[in-house]
Amino acid sequence: MSDDAPELASIEDFLKLDIRIGTVVRAEPFPEARKPAIRLWIDFGGELGEKKSSAQITAHYTPNALIGRQVLAVVNFPPRQIGPMRSEVLTLGVSDGTGEIVLMAPDQAVPDGTRLH
């Protein structure tokens, strides 16, 4: 295995991550962030409720276009202070061909709070 190869993870490692679907209910620019970002308020329904996140997604998204969109997020990382905001979840995305982030989302609507398997 080369030094660049990712470390192998076990199924137990994967199961430690709590990745859920939620709907963006509010979004606004986040000019206080070091890199261009958008503040997100994501509703995960039921037991989790609404959580905040900061996402560096300004190349492909505007705040208004995100309202009502379902996104995937890791909900069991410790909160992180990002400027004046406490980010409670890690919103998931992948890099496009230029390194800009594209959000991960289901191809069909699913109930908020549903866990990734």
Side-chain angles (χ1 to χ4, degrees):
M1 192 181 299
S2 77
D3 291 336
D4 294 336
E7 180 182 345
L8 292 178
S10 68
I11 190 66
E12 289 79 18
D13 293 329
F14 174 74
L15 292 173
K16 288 178 186 175
L17 295 176
D18 191 354
I19 301 172
R20 307 273 183 123
I21 195 77
T23 298
V24 176
V25 294
R26 183 175 157 202
E28 61 186 41
F30 190 15
E32 301 91 349
R34 281 185 297 190
K35 294 182 181 179
I38 298 175
R39 284 184 187 134
L40 303 173
W41 286 259
I42 305 167
D43 183 5
F44 293 96
E47 66 194 56
L48 291 173
E50 192 175 295
K51 302 286 184 184
K52 294 180 288 189
S53 183
S54 171
Q56 296 172 1
I57 55 175
T58 57
H60 293 295
Y61 307 96
T62 63
N64 287 344
L66 291 164
I67 307 300
R69 181 184 180 94
Q70 286 195 304
V71 296
L72 283 164
V74 178
V75 300
N76 66 331
F77 282 156
R80 247 179 104 188
Q81 194 69 36
I82 300 175
M85 177 184 171
R86 193 165 172 86
S87 186
E88 300 171 302
V89 299
L90 175 66
T91 305
L92 298 177
V94 295
S95 297
D96 67 8
T98 65
E100 299 295 343
I101 302 300
V102 175
L103 291 170
M104 299 305 303
D107 64 359
Q108 297 180 30
V110 295
D112 288 334
T114 299
R115 188 171 180 168
L116 178 75
H117 301 282

